[in-house]
Amino acid sequence: MVLSLRRGAAADKLEIERRDHEIAFKQAAIDKLTHEMAVLKRLKFAAKSEAFNAEQKSLLEETIDVDLAAMELELERLAGTSSAGCEKQQPRRQALPAHLPRREIRHEPESTTCACGCTLQRIGEDVAEKLDYQPGVFTVERHVRGKWVCTKCETLVQAPIAPHIIDKGIPTAGLLSQVLVGKYLDHLPLYRQEAIFGRAGLAIPRSTLASWVGQCGAQLQPLVDALKREMLQCRVLHADETPVAMLKPGNGKTHRAYLWSYCTTSYSALRAVVFDFADSRGGQHARAFLGLPDEHGWRGTLVCDDFSGYKACFELGVTEAGCLAHARRKFHELWVNQGSQVGEQALKFFGELYAIEREVAQLIPDERRRIRQERSREVADALKQWLAGQQLKVPNGSATAKALGYSLKRWQALTRYIDDGDLPADNNWVENQIRPIAIGRSNWLFAGSLRAGQRAAAIMSLIQSAKLNGLEPHAYLSDILERLPTQPASRVSELLPHRWQPASTS
């Protein structure tokens, strides 16, 4: 009996310690978010007086509004409250303009017979209006929920309110998708979208649009986390990084941040790309993404250029595969800029290697490897011998010597693809995923925190992965934003682009 009591007391003590630790963790997170919100609010007011031009001010203010909306949602989750339970005064929502076309959607009980056997009587209805948008045209969805009552047992029956990605919000999933696609695919800042919506008959304030973006970004993050987990199960990945400008409030200037890109190869059955935003080009960002140096971190083959930031990954068990296109590019520059005969001859060797790659592109890995070993190996050996001979003839430090040295120094990594049918010859696939993002660089001015950049990276991961899988981004986002509020966490992977099926056919 005494032993049983002691065991019970020990279990209670462990449970109390666990709860105390959980409470302390949540409180630390709440304090951190509260501090960040206070900083952002000060930045928002400071932006009005600092030396930004009009466009920078607008971008800064809308980014801060988006950040604040995302933080408020995170705080509600940590505190276990909802916006409905907040004590703060909510502004009274204005009715949607009467001139907008309306489409009525009725929600009635499946049965109008009461449990007691009596027939229910309809005594009224509740109406909620949602704002929808198709390019150039606003419409209103009128959701009508009839009220039915049993006169005998006074039971009231009414269809439940469907969960929404933004609790009690007026935008449909289609309108939210339009805003996200406009901002992160079409590179339209919110102040420009405000003007576009105004021409369609309803100028939605950019602060409202920012709130929607922030909340959607927070809600979509679990989906991006699931996409990353599945991608890291692949044996071969591409990696690349591109600079973007990040605005630094306080001096009106920008500094260089980086968008890191990781994706599966064109040979992979999984078509996915995940972007990771960081405030520097330090190699620690690549290691953190891959889960290194943890023993359970990713240990596959990484196709990348010669950037030093990846070197530590190779020391931790990742296999390096070089980019043949980078090596070729250096000789192409010699030929174009200087008419170099060395450059011209090198391009002929690379041309032979790429001709073989075009032939084997659609083959299965084993067949691709066999042909590469039979044909590409011979060309590659001849190229290496030629490169070594030319290196003896050119002066050290010249552009030609640097081009030759680059290929010879990385020869093992550059030719690793020949013995592995799952490896691509170059890193062009991931560079093509980043290229569309570069179009919007002029709109990539962030609020001095990583949050905005990381949110952009997450949403762009879903959009670009949808495109890789042949999906129309607006249709895909509209559907998952509609379904995500009721999707069990254990089944969130069903909404990933490579598995997604429209709700009507699922």
Side-chain angles (χ1 to χ4, degrees), residues 80-293:
T81 62
S82 66
S83 56
C86 291
E87 296 181 2
K88 64 180 181 180
Q89 185 70 30
Q90 297 289 343
R92 184 177 181 84
R93 181 189 300 166
Q94 295 184 350
L96 294 173
H99 69 272
L100 296 180
R102 277 162 167 75
R103 178 170 64 94
E104 196 166 276
I105 302 174
R106 293 194 165 270
H107 307 271
E108 303 292 355
E110 294 182 3
S111 172
T112 56
T113 300
C114 183
C116 71
C118 295
T119 300
L120 299 174
Q121 303 294 319
R122 200 173 194 279
I123 61 170
E125 61 190 25
D126 289 328
V127 178
E129 292 193 331
K130 300 283 186 182
L131 184 64
D132 196 21
Y133 181 83
Q134 295 296 326
V137 180
F138 277 111
T139 57
V140 176
E141 291 182 354
R142 298 186 76 249
H143 292 265
V144 181
R145 297 164 55 244
K147 295 180 179 180
W148 297 75
V149 70
C150 175
T151 55
K152 182 178 179 180
C153 61
E154 298 183 351
T155 298
L156 179 66
V157 177
Q158 190 175 33
I161 299 174
H164 193 260
I165 198 76
I166 296 179
D167 188 35
K168 298 185 178 180
I170 64 167
T172 63
L175 176 53
L176 293 173
S177 175
Q178 176 69 32
V179 175
L180 295 178
V181 169
K183 183 173 177 63
Y184 296 113
L185 178 61
D186 299 329
H187 315 298
L188 293 172
L190 298 182
Y191 73 89
R192 293 181 190 166
Q193 294 195 51
E194 179 183 15
I196 291 171
F197 291 147
R199 291 196 297 272
L202 184 60
I204 305 173
R206 72 195 71 175
S207 59
T208 300
L209 298 176
S211 177
W212 294 350
V213 170
Q215 293 182 68
C216 285
Q219 299 279 26
L220 289 171
Q221 189 60 51
L223 200 55
V224 181
D225 294 339
L227 182 63
K228 176 184 174 181
R229 285 194 298 271
E230 293 207 11
M231 190 184 71
L232 289 179
Q233 293 176 13
C234 294
R235 187 177 71 85
V236 182
L237 293 178
H238 288 278
D240 199 11
E241 70 293 329
T242 189
V244 294
M246 186 165 79
L247 196 61
K248 295 188 70 174
N251 57 16
K253 298 180 181 179
T254 62
H255 83 278
R256 180 169 287 190
Y258 280 85
L259 186 71
W260 298 69
S261 176
Y262 304 86
C263 72
T264 56
T265 73
S266 59
Y267 302 141
S268 174
L270 172 63
R271 295 296 178 95
V273 56
V274 176
F275 298 107
D276 185 36
F277 181 83
D279 60 357
S280 76
R281 204 185 183 194
Q284 70 272 16
H285 302 300
R287 296 193 294 276
F289 184 91
L290 298 175
L292 300 172

Side-chain angles (χ1 to χ4, degrees), residues 39-55:
V39 171
L40 286 176
K41 287 176 180 178
R42 286 198 299 272
L43 289 177
K44 183 175 180 178
F45 291 110
K48 300 181 185 300
S49 60
E50 291 181 353
F52 300 130
N53 61 40
E55 184 177 37

Side-chain angles (χ1 to χ4, degrees), residues 303-416:
V303 187
C304 58
D305 58 26
D306 194 35
F307 170 52
S308 60
Y310 300 115
K311 301 303 180 185
C313 296
F314 308 139
E315 297 171 0
L316 295 170
V318 173
T319 301
E320 178 185 14
C323 175
L324 207 63
H326 272 76
R328 178 191 178 279
R329 198 171 298 157
K330 296 183 182 301
F331 291 103
H332 183 266
E333 291 172 357
L334 287 177
W335 178 61
V336 170
N337 298 331
Q338 303 176 19
S340 166
Q341 291 184 347
V342 173
E344 183 179 10
Q345 181 58 41
L347 291 178
K348 292 179 181 178
F349 280 109
F350 283 106
E352 290 184 52
L353 292 172
Y354 272 104
I356 297 170
E357 287 307 294
R358 287 191 290 272
E359 292 180 29
V360 303
Q362 302 304 319
L363 301 180
I364 62 173
D366 287 345
E367 187 68 9
R368 187 182 300 120
R369 183 184 69 249
R370 183 186 66 78
I371 294 176
R372 284 172 172 176
Q373 289 175 335
E374 288 179 359
R375 297 169 55 190
S376 300
R377 176 62 67 189
E378 182 180 356
V379 177
D381 288 346
L383 173 57
K384 182 182 181 183
Q385 184 177 356
W386 179 82
L387 290 171
Q390 293 300 314
Q391 192 176 42
L392 299 174
K393 301 177 184 179
V394 299
N396 293 332
S398 65
T400 303
K402 290 179 180 178
L404 294 166
Y406 177 90
S407 293
L408 289 170
K409 178 183 176 183
R410 307 196 70 233
W411 191 254
Q412 183 179 9
L414 288 172
T415 57
R416 181 163 274 126

